[in-house]
Amino acid sequence: MRSIAFIILHCSATRCDQSYSFEACKRDHLKRGFTDIGYHWYIECDGTVHEGRKEELVGAHCKERNKHSIGVCYEGGLNENGQFADTRTEAQKDSLLDLLIQLHQRYPEAVITGHNEFNPHKACPCFDAEEYRAIFSI
Ligand SMILES: [Zn+2]
């Protein structure tokens, strides 16, 4: 089993008024030549949680950080005008918290981080991951 140092949070960078399902994301990643969707978990607007790449496999979601991380993505991240925004629905927030509780149990040492903390050029995930670090005191 690989060691997990980080749980990295992402948005799909798609407009909140347009659908970008798990299947659509996976299809796009396969088109880019990935062997599978790059994320380990994907949360759609209605709160549905999809398992993507198996956790024991290295993902493709954060340059230089994939080897020791789990990638979690929510559908959205752009407002109706196409600007970066925290578009998480209440259902997504509930599902994300449930998922992070499970991940924190499996990987108690892993620090929850936003993609933008590793790459300041990115807005992703469009909210401050400190919100979750505070909950888990990590
Ligand atoms: Zn990202």
Side-chain angles (χ1 to χ4, degrees):
M1 192 67 183
R2 65 197 178 103
S3 64
I4 301 299
F6 299 101
I7 295 163
I8 304 178
L9 305 180
H10 299 266
C11 64
S12 63
T14 48
R15 282 172 50 158
C16 60
D17 57 349
Q18 293 174 357
S19 165
Y20 191 64
S21 66
F22 169 75
E23 286 75 19
C25 181
K26 181 171 176 169
R27 192 176 56 232
D28 285 348
H29 284 191
L30 291 175
K31 268 191 226 158
R32 282 159 64 177
F34 295 4
T35 53
D36 194 353
I37 187 169
Y39 306 115
H40 297 94
W41 297 97
Y42 190 88
I43 305 174
E44 293 179 345
C45 290
D46 69 356
T48 304
V49 178
H50 292 267
E51 185 179 14
R53 202 175 288 210
K54 295 286 176 198
E55 286 181 10
E56 58 263 32
L57 300 175
V58 174
H61 55 91
C62 184
K63 206 163 177 257
E64 318 262 316
R65 297 288 179 176
N66 288 312
K67 203 170 173 193
H68 298 291
S69 69
I70 297 290
V72 177
C73 181
Y74 74 94
E75 176 189 8
L78 300 179
N79 65 21
E80 295 85 350
N81 299 317
Q83 294 157 329
F84 286 109
D86 179 2
T87 63
R88 288 173 297 165
T89 63
E90 289 307 312
Q92 281 176 314
K93 287 181 184 177
D94 288 348
S95 294
L96 179 55
L97 182 57
D98 285 348
L99 177 61
L100 290 175
I101 289 169
Q102 293 172 36
L103 291 173
H104 180 61
Q105 282 171 348
R106 279 206 285 287
Y107 311 106
E109 307 293 318
V111 179
I112 299 169
T113 50
H115 190 185
N116 55 355
E117 293 177 79
F118 291 122
N119 186 342
H121 299 296
K122 293 196 182 275
C124 175
C126 303
F127 63 84
D128 189 350
E130 176 60 27
E131 175 185 331
Y132 296 105
R133 286 196 290 274
I135 292 171
F136 297 107
S137 303
I138 48 173

